Structure formats: C-alpha cells, structure tokens
Amino acid sequence: MILTVTLNAALDVTYRVPRLQPHTTHRVTEVVERPGGKGLNVARVLTALGHRAVATGFVGGGTGDAVRALLAQETAVTDALVPVGGATRRTVAVVDESTGDTTQLNEPGPTVTPAEWDTFMATYRELLADARAVALCGTLPPGVPVDVYARLTRAARTAGVPVLLDTSGEPLRRGMAARPDLAKPNADELAALTGSTEPLRAARDARRRGAHTVAASLGADGMLVVTSDGAWQAAPPRRFAGNPTGAGDSAVAGLLSGLVEGLSWPARLVRAVALSAATVRAPAAGEFDRGTYEDLLGEIRVTEQPAGV
C-alpha cells in the first residue's frame, strides 16, 4: 500500500458563482464538499489509479466527522486518521464561472497537543510496516513542531520506505535536510528555498540541500525533475481552464504510483503532468478528468535538460 500523511486535513468546500465581484452578494450555483488536505487528495487519486492508499493525519470536531464520512462514502481510501480535540479546518474555493479563476480561503486548523502527537507517531510507525512508499504533504497545524517532516522522513527511511515530501517554508527546509527520496516544491516554494527563480538551477540547488530527487511543479509549464542520473522536463501541449486546486496533489500521486510500479523517470513525469492537467478539468480537488488524462498520456513529450553540476 501507499501511505499518505495529512497533518492538517480539511473539508474542502467549492462554491461556483457566475461572476465573483468584491463587496457584493453572490448567488452560488453549485456547492461541492470533499475530504481535503494535500495527502487526502493524493490518496483519492491513487485509488482511482488502482493503488491501495491509506491516509493518516489528524481530524477532529464536527468538520472532522464530515471528512471521515465523506471519505468512507466516496473513495476506497483506508481511513487511519487520528482524532484530536480541536476542529478540522475548512478550505473554501470560490470558482468564477465567467473566467474559470479560483479564489481560495484556508483556515489554520486545530491545535495539536503533545499527547495527540505521540498517538499519531505510534500510528505512523505501525503503518510504515506495510507501506511501499509514503507521501508527507501540506501545511502543519498549530502545536506541531516545525521539524516534524524531518522526523517523519527519518522514521520512514529507518523502516526502508521511500519518502516524498510536499510542503513549503521552514518545514520544507528542515525536511530536506533529512534526505527524502523525493521533494516536490512548486516554483514559488523552490525560489523561496533556494533564492533562485531559474527552475533548473534552483532544482539542482535544492537537491544539494538533501533530497535525492527534486520534482518542481511549474504550473502551465509542467514539471521539471532533477535526479542523480539526469534532468527532464515535460509540459501539457496546451493550457487548460478550470480549477487548479489539487493539481499538484495529483502530480504527487502520479510520481508515487510510478515509483512503486518501477517506471522510468520520464514515464513518471508524463503521468504526473497528465494527471495535473486533467485535475484542472475536474470539478473538485482529488479528482481528475479521465478522458483528458488518457489523451494527454499520448501527447506529452519529455525534454532532457542540459547536464549540470
């Protein structure tokens, strides 16, 4: 199985409005609720690709109950979430139907106590025993130490389980030092980490900070992967309008599924980019338009990048 960790899970709420205008009242044409948080989105896409996925992290309160109920109803994801006393956050995406643009509102999440963290760590170590890979995803809720992804990475590496790290800021910087097998920052996160806005240079710099491989999400420009054996970039052949929420999470699912299937890096890259673009066409995060995905698998071309130090 593939294990995903979402320390700051959410109930994703997507509103669609004809046109989003500040300082006015809006009539919502559609409301969609989904279990949310990056790792839960990754797990849902993995199950759609035919993999067994187990999701752990924290949930609490009425919102947490809703997340668990929806997870049980909508997906084949195995629920290994750890209860906390605080309430799970909500994330609200408002989609402007006139432009396709999305405005995102994210709550901070519950405060996690030391005892709740200890319970989670015990659960995590137990789950690692059956995991073929683990994804550590997203922001940290209040009360969780900033170096937790470094701790979780070291625990996975001790258990012999490959680690993908997808976070930002100080948790990313500290997690990189624990040498995850793969780090997946987006362009802004990569620039903040390295100080460079040139993706290839920044990805190589990031790799020197500890990750064995860096896969950088570049939005409409696709994805760049830098490994010890080379570097490749792939992009969708055209731009897609829609809701980009969860596109990066689908890319993570593509990379992880390719890892456990033993695909080459170019093949993993094609899958990740195709899933990311197909997610933009889907109504909510954690889903992808299968027709778009299957079409793109035959259209995306991978370009090998120049060698560098």
Side-chain angles (χ1 to χ4, degrees):
M1 63 90 167
I2 300 175
L3 176 63
T4 72
V5 175
T6 311
L7 297 178
N8 207 7
L11 179 66
D12 282 347
V13 183
T14 302
Y15 295 126
R16 302 185 71 88
V17 298
R19 182 181 296 274
L20 182 62
Q21 295 179 295
H23 315 300
T24 63
T25 299
H26 296 81
R27 185 173 298 278
V28 176
T29 58
E30 182 184 32
V31 181
V32 178
E33 293 186 346
R34 293 286 187 272
K38 295 178 73 64
L40 291 180
N41 292 336
V42 172
R44 293 170 66 205
V45 174
L46 284 169
T47 61
L49 294 171
H51 289 270
R52 180 175 172 239
V54 175
T56 190
F58 297 111
V59 289
T63 310
D65 292 341
V67 167
R68 302 190 91 155
L70 288 168
L71 197 63
Q73 294 170 9
E74 298 177 3
T75 73
V77 175
T78 300
D79 178 352
L81 295 163
V82 175
V84 294
T88 294
R89 67 189 178 126
R90 293 167 296 178
T91 63
V92 179
V94 183
V95 180
D96 185 331
E97 294 177 332
S98 67
T99 64
D101 293 334
T102 301
T103 298
Q104 193 82 17
L105 304 172
N106 295 335
E107 297 178 356
T111 298
V112 176
T113 68
E116 290 165 344
W117 174 253
D118 290 343
T119 299
F120 167 78
M121 281 301 298
T123 299
Y124 177 69
R125 290 192 176 98
E126 290 177 4
L127 292 169
L128 285 175
D130 295 322
R132 299 179 65 191
V134 57
L136 308 176
C137 301
T139 61
L140 304 181
V144 173
V146 73
D147 68 340
V148 295
Y149 282 137
R151 301 184 197 181
L152 298 179
T153 296
R154 287 192 289 267
R157 291 180 60 78
T158 298
V161 180
V163 181
L164 184 153
L165 177 62
D166 182 14
T167 187
S168 60
E170 188 66 11
L172 173 61
R173 188 184 71 79
R174 298 204 186 192
M176 292 282 279
R179 299 186 61 78
D181 296 86
L182 175 61
K184 195 214 72 64
N186 62 30
D188 291 340
E189 293 161 353
L190 189 62
L193 177 69
T194 66
S196 174
T197 57
E198 199 288 306
L200 184 58
R201 178 180 300 170
R204 287 191 170 122
D205 184 358
R207 188 171 172 274
R208 286 192 289 269
R209 294 168 187 258
H212 292 274
T213 296
V214 173
S217 293
L218 305 177
D221 293 326
M223 178 173 282
L224 169 70
V225 172
V226 176
T227 78
S228 60
D229 299 321
W232 299 269
Q233 184 170 349
R238 55 194 176 278
R239 292 178 180 266
F240 293 90
N243 181 3
T245 305
D249 306 332
S250 292
V252 168
L255 294 170
L256 276 177
S257 60
L259 183 155
V260 301
E261 293 172 27
L263 300 183
S264 67
W265 272 111
R268 297 182 206 181
L269 190 56
V270 167
R271 179 179 291 182
V273 171
L275 283 169
S276 182
T279 297
V280 174
R281 299 292 302 275
E287 299 179 357
F288 61 94
D289 183 87
R290 190 167 291 273
T292 300
Y293 167 64
E294 293 175 351
D295 288 343
L296 286 173
L297 288 176
E299 297 179 19
I300 293 171
R301 298 293 176 261
V302 178
T303 304
E304 189 167 3
Q305 299 300 294
V309 178

